């Protein structure tokens, strides 16, 4: 009998030794939400601790040796630069542990793409960092958090995931941090990668990749969380007909260091706004032209003489992610040509 127990122990130990180790870092959001009933959209996000998320999906223990840690408990509309730094430092610490194979971050969906892109630029690792969340709180009919978490752990443990940058795993799809964006307010199919499409599918834990994101990220990035203590103030202005360009001057007076202008079409500001942005550049504020259209690159010197005014173009980075790249760029330089080069590389 003793021999049987010993053999069983050795067998279990051998099995777990071959399993990858995945750390789940929980930050809040709907995946940690509690609904009023199974058939209502009313719920409170960011309530359940990481232990509950793990208990709700015992199947993940078959995929990996899983550990959980609560980094913060916020809904993602309340994310701040300070919290990004805190999350990034924790991810950096965990990926540098030799016995850890990958990281999963549970996060609210509203700004998940922003945290994903921030981490994509500042975490120097080849190990998988996978973000996931939910659109429906636990207890809701057809709640999506459990399967999203299962798939995210499977993806982080997959031998195909290393070196592909920060990934977003949602609704059976795998997206690249740079390219993904939230496209739906309530539907479980909440994320898309416009223009380029998904990187792959993940179906009940089985990942299939079809392409990679080619821009610089993670281990090829020149940004490193170890060297970043604070983030500069950068604002996004969303253009529309009859945009009040005096808002720009006011924010410069308030000490803003960078502006992302989400212009119409090819990142176009109105004539009055061009003048306000040009005055900002003269006051040492970096100005990036992005677009509110959601598709296509913003190109240099089309309708706007960028060289004359000292403007930078965002290429095809959306305004909220342009803000992140500009913040990180400003931790290193205010040189317009150098920042422009970064927008073409990252
Ligand atoms: C949030 O972003 O924290 C709330 C919404 C969600 O997680 O889907």
């Amino acid at each position: 009998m003793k021999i049987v127990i010993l053999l069983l122990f050795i067998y279990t130990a051998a099995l777990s030794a071959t399993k990858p180790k995945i750390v789940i870092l929980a930050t809040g959001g709907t995946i940690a939400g509690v609904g009023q009933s199974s058939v209502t959209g009313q719920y409170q996000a960011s309530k359940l601790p990481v232990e509950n998320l793990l208990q709700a999906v015992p199947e993940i223990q078959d995929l990996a040796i899983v550990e959980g840690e609560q980094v913060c408990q916020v809904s993602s509309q309340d994310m701040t630069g300070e919290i990004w730094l805190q999350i990034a430092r924790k991810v950096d610490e965990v990926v540098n542990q030799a016995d850890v194979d990958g990281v999963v971050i549970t996060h609210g969906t509203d700004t998940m793409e922003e945290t994903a892109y921030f981490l994509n630029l500042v975490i120097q690792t080849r190990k998988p960092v996978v973000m996931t969340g939910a659109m429906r709180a636990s207890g809701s009919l057809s709640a999506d958090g459990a399967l999203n978490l299962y798939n995210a752990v499977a993806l982080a443990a997959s031998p195909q995931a290393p070196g592909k940058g920060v990934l977003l795993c949602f609704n059976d799809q795998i997206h690249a941090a740079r390219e993904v964006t939230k496209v739906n307010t309530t539907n479980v199919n909440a994320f898309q990668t416009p223009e380029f499409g998904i990187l792959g599918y993940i179906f009940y834990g089985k990942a299939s990749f079809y392409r990679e994101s080619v821009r610089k990220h993670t281990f090829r990035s020149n940004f490193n969380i170890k060297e970043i203590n604070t983030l500069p103030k950068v604002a996004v202005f969303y253009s529309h007909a009859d945009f009040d360009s005096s808002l720009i001057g006011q924010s410069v007076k308030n000490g803003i260091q960078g502006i992302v202008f989400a212009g119409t079409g090819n990142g176009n500001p109105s004539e009055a706004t061009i003048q306000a942005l040009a005055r900002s550049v003269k006051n040492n504020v970096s100005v990036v032209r992005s677009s509110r259209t959601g598709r296509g690159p913003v190109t240099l010197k089309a309708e706007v003489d960028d060289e004359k005014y000292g403007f930078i173009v965002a290429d095809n980075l959306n305004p909220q992610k342009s803000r992140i790249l500009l913040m990180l760029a400003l931790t290193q330089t205010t040189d317009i040509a150098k920042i422009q080069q970064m927008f073409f590389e990252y």
Side-chain angles (χ1 to χ4, degrees):
M1 184 63 178
K2 272 187 187 158
I3 292 177
V4 174
I5 293 172
L6 185 68
L7 285 176
L8 204 63
F9 177 78
I10 293 170
Y11 177 70
T12 317
L15 263 188
S16 62
T18 59
K19 276 193 212 162
K21 180 171 169 184
I22 304 299
V23 177
I24 299 181
L25 301 175
T27 71
T30 298
I31 194 166
V34 182
Q36 297 221 328
S37 88
S38 60
V39 286
T40 173
Q42 270 182 302
Y43 69 98
Q44 283 187 297
S46 316
K47 287 286 164 203
L48 300 174
V50 67
E51 292 76 23
N52 292 42
L53 304 189
L54 299 191
Q55 279 160 18
V57 199
E59 296 86 350
I60 56 178
Q61 305 296 340
D62 300 334
L63 301 170
I65 301 164
V66 179
E67 275 178 17
E69 188 173 338
Q70 194 76 42
V71 183
C72 56
Q73 187 65 287
V74 290
S75 300
S76 75
Q77 60 271 37
D78 292 321
M79 273 293 153
T80 62
E82 268 304 304
I83 304 176
W84 279 344
L85 294 175
Q86 187 192 340
I87 296 172
R89 285 184 194 121
K90 176 52 72 179
V91 175
D92 187 54
E93 179 194 313
V94 172
V95 294
N96 280 302
Q97 290 167 11
D99 62 333
V100 172
D101 296 285
V103 175
V104 169
I105 302 166
T106 59
H107 194 286
T109 57
D110 285 357
T111 63
M112 191 188 290
E113 65 187 90
E114 293 174 57
T115 305
Y117 188 54
F118 181 70
L119 297 174
N120 197 48
L121 297 182
V122 301
I123 303 295
Q124 306 252 340
T125 187
R126 286 177 185 268
K127 290 185 185 174
V129 176
V130 179
M131 301 202 56
T132 197
M135 289 298 284
R136 294 182 183 149
S138 63
S140 169
L141 274 190
S142 194
D144 53 334
L147 185 53
N148 282 344
L149 185 59
Y150 180 82
N151 279 337
V153 170
L155 182 58
S158 162
Q160 299 176 71
K164 293 200 167 65
V166 174
L167 302 172
L168 196 147
C169 178
F170 214 89
N171 200 37
D172 296 355
Q173 297 181 332
I174 307 166
H175 298 266
R178 181 187 185 274
E179 297 156 4
V180 65
T181 193
K182 187 171 181 184
V183 293
N184 199 292
T185 52
T186 55
N187 200 280
V188 292
N189 197 15
F191 289 93
Q192 263 178 22
T193 292
E195 296 195 280
F196 309 122
I198 59 174
L199 298 185
Y201 287 110
I202 180 150
F203 191 61
Y204 290 102
K206 191 174 177 312
S208 313
F209 279 89
Y210 302 93
R211 68 172 193 90
E212 287 187 31
S213 178
V214 298
R215 291 299 179 99
K216 272 171 131 177
H217 59 69
T218 53
F219 61 95
R220 290 202 298 126
S221 172
N222 292 324
F223 302 108
N224 189 337
I225 189 58
K226 290 188 176 69
E227 292 154 13
I228 300 166
N229 297 317
T230 54
L231 293 169
K233 272 171 82 172
V234 174
V236 176
F237 289 94
Y238 190 95
S239 83
H240 51 83
D242 208 17
F243 176 77
D244 180 1
S245 60
S246 72
L247 295 172
I248 289 172
Q250 284 167 26
S251 72
V252 173
K253 276 194 200 124
N254 288 343
I256 211 93
Q257 288 148 281
I259 290 172
V260 173
F261 190 74
T264 53
N266 192 355
N268 291 322
S270 68
E271 197 44 51
T273 308
I274 288 181
Q275 298 313 321
L277 292 171
R279 283 193 294 277
S280 308
V281 174
K282 288 203 174 106
N283 283 308
N284 302 317
V285 174
S286 303
V287 171
V288 173
R289 290 195 301 115
S290 181
S291 172
R292 68 176 203 177
T293 60
R295 279 170 193 252
V298 174
T299 57
L300 277 168
K301 288 187 83 168
E303 287 189 66
V304 181
D305 192 340
D306 295 290
E307 210 175 302
K308 173 174 164 194
Y309 299 117
F311 298 159
I312 295 152
V313 292
D315 195 352
N316 65 351
L317 208 52
N318 73 22
Q320 56 272 32
K321 290 185 198 173
S322 298
R323 174 175 174 267
I324 291 167
L325 182 52
L326 182 55
M327 284 197 296
L328 290 173
L330 289 172
T331 65
Q332 295 188 352
T333 183
T334 54
D335 184 282
I336 293 167
K338 285 187 181 152
I339 298 177
Q340 181 61 77
Q341 190 55 30
M342 291 178 191
F343 273 87
F344 290 141
E345 285 180 1
Y346 287 93

